[in-house]
Amino acid sequence: MDFRMTDEQELMLENLREFCAREITEEKIQQWYQDRRVSEDVCKAYLDAGFGYMFIPEEYGGIPSDAMTLVLVVEELIRSAGATMPFMSYGLAMYDIAEFGTPEQVKMGMEMYKQTGQQCFSLALSEPVAGSDNASMQATAKWLGNGKVVINGTKTMVSHAETAPLIMVIAKDEDPSPENRNMSMWLVPREAPGVKLAPLHKIGQEITNFCEVYLDNVEVDESALLGVKGQGFLQLMQNFEIERLMISAHSLGLAQAAMEDAAAYAGQRIAFGQPLGNFQMIQQKLTDMEIKLQNMRNLLYKTAWEFDNGIPVRLNSALCKRYLSLAATEVCSEAMQILGGIGYTTETRVGRIWKDARGNSMSGGTDEIMVHIAGRQILKKYAK
C-alpha cells in the first residue's frame, strides 16, 4: 500500500483549502450553527467549485472519484473548517437518487441540486421505536389500487428536513409487523398535505438541522417509488460502507483540527514562567493524541484503499466507524483540557469541535452496532 497522494489529489486539496479560507470563515460558521444550516450562497459555491459533484456518477455530470480521494476531501474540509460541514451528506444523498431513481427522478433531483447546492431530499429512516432495530419500524405505505399510495408513520432524527424540498421516506409495504421485512423508498414532497415537521435541537452538529417528521395519510403517486418495491432497506445498505468511511473521515478532520489548536496553544501559553508545552504532562497528552491521530488515519486510509481495490471492507469499515468516533472524541476532549477554562467557552472552537465529534458515535450506526457488525465478521475471519 502506498498512501502518497497523486498530483491531482494534492491540487484538489490545495484548491479546497483556498476555498475554505475564502468562503468558510469562523464568523460565518458561528452564524450557520445558529441558523441550523449553511447559507445557500456557500452551498452553491461549493458545488460550482466542483467538490459537490464528486459522489455523483459521471453520466449525470459528476466527477469520477475513488474512496481514497473522497476520504481525503472530507478530512481536509472538516479540518480546515474546524466544524461540521454538511456537504458530504449532500453528495451521498445525490448518489442515492442517481443510483436508484428513474430518469425523471434523477433529472428532477439534479435540477434541484444545481439550483441550490443542497441535497434534494432528507432521509427519513429512524423512528422513535425503531433506530438500529429497523424490523420494529411502524411506518407503512399502502397501495390504494388507483395509482396512489398512502403513507403513515412518524420518523425522527431526520437531517436536513427543514431545507430539503423532498423527504425520502422508508416505509414497510402494507404491514407494520416485525415479521415483514419488505420496505420501500418513497420521495415525498416536504410540503405535501399531511406532512408536519417538529425541530429537534442537538447539543452538537447544530449546523445540520434535525427534525421529527409526522406523516398522516400522506398521499403520493406510485411513481414516487425510488428503486425497487420491497428492497428499500437493502438499497440503503449498499452505501453503508462508504458512508461509514465518510463519517470516519469527518471524525478524523475534527480531531486533527482540535489537535492543531491544542498544540499551538501549548506552545504559546505561558504558565509558571514557561510555555505550557514544556511540561511533561502536557507533552504526554499531545503524544497520546498524536498516536491516536496516526492510528485513525492509518486504519481509515487502509480501509479506503481496500475498498478501491475490491477487497471486502464489511469488517474494517465497522472497525473504522467505531474506533475513529471514539478516538476523535478522546482527542478533542484532551485538546479542550489543554486549553483549560478557555477551552470550555464559546470564545474558542475546541468545545464546538468536541461536541460535534461526540455525535459521530451515534450517527451512521452507533458504536454498539459497529461491535455487532464487526463481531460477526471477526468470528467468520478466525473460524477453523
Side-chain angles (χ1 to χ4, degrees), residues 42-318:
V42 174
C43 293
K44 188 68 166 56
Y46 185 84
L47 183 62
D48 291 342
F51 302 112
Y53 289 105
M54 293 182 63
F55 286 89
I56 298 171
E58 193 172 6
E59 60 266 31
Y60 301 118
I63 299 173
S65 304
D66 56 17
M68 188 71 243
T69 301
L70 292 172
V71 160
L72 290 170
V73 167
V74 173
E75 177 192 349
E76 183 57 39
L77 170 66
I78 304 304
R79 185 207 66 82
S80 294
T84 293
M85 300 301 295
F87 303 134
M88 170 195 73
S89 175
Y90 294 171
L92 282 170
M94 297 311 300
Y95 177 85
D96 281 340
I97 199 168
E99 183 78 1
F100 305 117
T102 63
E104 294 77 17
Q105 289 171 333
V106 175
K107 180 181 178 182
M108 173 187 65
M110 287 302 298
E111 287 176 352
M112 291 177 176
Y113 189 44
K114 291 176 181 178
Q115 185 175 5
T116 65
Q118 300 176 58
Q119 67 189 69
C120 65
F121 68 82
S122 57
L123 174 60
L125 173 61
S126 296
E127 298 183 4
V129 296
S132 300
D133 178 18
N134 58 82
S136 297
M137 185 181 297
Q138 297 295 301
T140 58
K142 295 184 180 294
W143 276 255
L144 300 181
N146 60 355
K148 299 289 185 179
V149 175
V150 170
I151 302 174
N152 282 283
T154 300
K155 297 294 183 177
T156 190
M157 297 180 288
V158 181
S159 298
H160 309 293
E162 294 176 14
T163 48
L166 302 170
I167 304 170
M168 190 176 81
V169 178
I170 312 298
K172 287 191 173 181
D173 298 341
E174 306 288 347
D175 176 18
S177 67
E179 294 75 25
N180 180 20
R181 299 302 177 98
N182 295 321
M183 306 174 192
S184 299
M185 294 175 169
W186 299 94
L187 287 176
V188 177
R190 187 186 64 206
E191 303 298 332
V195 175
K196 294 182 180 180
L197 306 182
L200 294 170
H201 299 91
K202 295 178 287 185
I203 63 171
Q205 300 187 17
E206 303 101 309
I207 202 170
T208 302
N209 57 77
F210 218 39
C211 287
E212 285 199 335
V213 176
Y214 305 100
L215 303 128
D216 182 13
N217 289 322
V218 177
E219 189 173 290
V220 296
D221 293 335
E222 289 182 2
S223 61
L225 177 69
L226 185 64
V228 180
K229 179 182 176 181
Q231 300 296 308
F233 190 76
L234 295 177
Q235 290 171 177
L236 276 183
M237 286 180 63
Q238 293 181 33
N239 296 332
F240 277 179
E241 289 172 349
I242 191 67
E243 181 187 19
R244 288 169 192 152
L245 294 183
M246 297 304 103
I247 294 174
S248 297
H250 177 267
S251 293
L252 177 56
L254 290 173
Q256 186 64 54
M259 175 67 170
E260 292 172 9
D261 285 6
Y265 183 83
Q268 298 169 0
R269 171 75 159 89
I270 302 300
F272 302 100
Q274 57 182 310
L276 192 64
N278 285 359
F279 293 97
Q280 191 169 15
M281 184 172 286
I282 300 300
Q283 292 175 355
Q284 181 177 343
K285 289 181 182 295
L286 292 170
T287 297
D288 290 342
M289 292 160 68
E290 182 67 16
I291 290 171
K292 287 174 183 174
L293 281 167
Q294 294 204 23
N295 283 338
M296 292 164 71
R297 188 167 285 111
N298 288 338
L299 179 57
L300 176 58
Y301 287 10
K302 173 179 179 288
T303 306
W305 177 88
E306 290 174 336
F307 185 93
D308 289 332
N309 283 275
I311 300 170
V313 295
R314 186 165 178 78
L315 170 59
N316 280 0
S317 65

